[in-house]
Amino acid sequence: MWHNYRLLNKICALLWLGSTTYLLLSGAVFLMNTDYFDVDVINVRGDVQHLEADSLRSTIVKNFKGGFLNLDLNMAKGALEEIPRIESVEITRDWPRSLTVHVKERKEIARWERGGLLDSGGVLFEVPSSKVLPMLSGPPNSHETVVREYLKLDRLLRGSGLSLEYLGLSDEHSWLARLRGGPTLALGKKNLEPRFLRFMRFLPEVEKSLGKKVDYIDLRYTNGFSVSSIVY
């Protein structure tokens, strides 16, 4: 064997490769566990009007193990996304010893009559809020459907000076709306948007002809509506 130079060269190459690999792995393990790469700075970016940056940093520190190189970002991300006010989080490494946390805050657009707040995606969550918000209601687990209809009607009202105070879906799947400082609207089970547009088109003429404020409008008719000063 000692006179087989080809075999000796192969053995030497394998030994060199093995020792190099071992050194590299040992160095990587050392770097991942050394204090030099501990995370020193956690930067918080994004909309954090209702969130305290120090509290977010504390949550991250409590939920990661290791240093900059072997930090489990998914574990820290998951812990932050359990906070009701947070809609989404992205965490990135910034060489050599810092993290940047990009936060998107969950914004409430309405209250749910059964309890809690709703965002524009129909997600129900519970946090303190002093905002004046429309009230939405409906059968159990219908909040996503009600939010979708609310957003459609809200878009129709933009620029009109009017806003919804209440939108509800009954157990019979019939819709009832109330404008802030305005009438209650019986919208029925379907064709909500065309009926709502009909109401907006004729409300000024109706109030002018009656000479008084309208309290209740039934829009469930095919080609018209009825008006009353009594809310049924």
Side-chain angles (χ1 to χ4, degrees):
M1 180 184 75
W2 303 111
H3 300 289
N4 190 335
Y5 296 108
R6 288 185 178 179
L7 180 59
L8 288 174
N9 287 336
K10 288 182 179 180
I11 292 173
C12 290
L14 288 172
L15 289 172
W16 178 86
L17 180 61
S19 60
T20 301
T21 302
Y22 173 79
L23 289 173
L24 289 173
L25 289 174
S26 298
V29 171
F30 172 78
L31 287 174
M32 285 191 294
N33 290 281
T34 183
D35 292 341
Y36 180 76
F37 285 103
D38 283 351
V39 175
D40 284 343
V41 179
I42 300 176
N43 301 303
V44 178
R45 301 283 185 266
D47 185 359
V48 289
Q49 294 180 10
H50 299 89
L51 297 165
E52 294 184 2
D54 287 344
S55 176
L56 298 179
R57 294 186 184 100
S58 176
T59 300
I60 293 173
V61 170
K62 289 177 182 177
N63 286 276
F64 69 44
K65 297 178 180 179
F68 178 83
L69 296 176
N70 63 343
L71 172 64
D72 187 344
L73 296 184
N74 288 328
M75 182 181 293
K77 180 176 184 292
L80 287 176
E81 289 180 339
E82 290 181 2
I83 299 174
R85 179 60 79 172
I86 291 180
E87 181 175 336
S88 63
V89 177
E90 292 297 331
I91 304 176
T92 56
R93 292 181 174 89
D94 299 320
W95 185 265
R97 293 189 294 180
S98 65
L99 299 175
T100 297
V101 184
H102 303 270
V103 178
K104 183 177 182 182
E105 190 175 85
R106 195 180 303 282
K107 298 182 182 298
E108 64 271 33
I109 64 164
R111 298 185 188 277
W112 187 238
E113 194 172 54
R114 294 175 179 269
L117 302 172
L118 291 159
D119 70 4
S120 59
V123 175
L124 187 63
F125 63 108
E126 293 190 16
V127 296
S129 177
S130 59
K131 287 185 178 180
V132 177
L133 298 168
M135 182 68 71
L136 307 184
S137 72
N141 302 316
S142 66
H143 49 276
E144 292 184 6
T145 299
V146 179
V147 165
R148 281 197 298 270
E149 291 303 324
Y150 165 77
L151 292 174
K152 291 177 184 177
L153 300 182
D154 184 61
R155 281 193 290 268
L156 296 178
L157 287 172
R158 289 177 187 172
S160 68
L162 302 173
S163 62
L164 281 171
E165 182 179 53
Y166 171 84
L167 179 66
L169 177 64
S170 72
D171 292 336
E172 293 75 29
H173 302 289
S174 184
W175 294 89
L176 188 73
R178 183 171 62 251
L179 295 180
R180 195 171 300 280
T184 296
L185 311 174
L187 295 168
K189 297 182 178 181
K190 57 184 179 180
N191 301 323
L192 269 65
E193 292 176 73
R195 290 174 177 178
F196 204 75
L197 287 170
R198 187 197 317 156
F199 148 74
M200 293 179 63
R201 188 166 61 249
F202 288 107
L203 179 62
E205 296 179 21
V206 170
E207 291 189 331
K208 183 178 179 179
S209 63
L210 291 177
K212 61 180 179 180
K213 186 178 178 180
V214 175
D215 292 324
Y216 181 85
I217 300 178
D218 190 339
L219 294 159
R220 292 173 291 182
Y221 300 91
T222 303
N223 297 312
F225 53 87
S226 64
V227 177
S228 172
S229 59
I230 303 174
V231 179
Y232 294 92

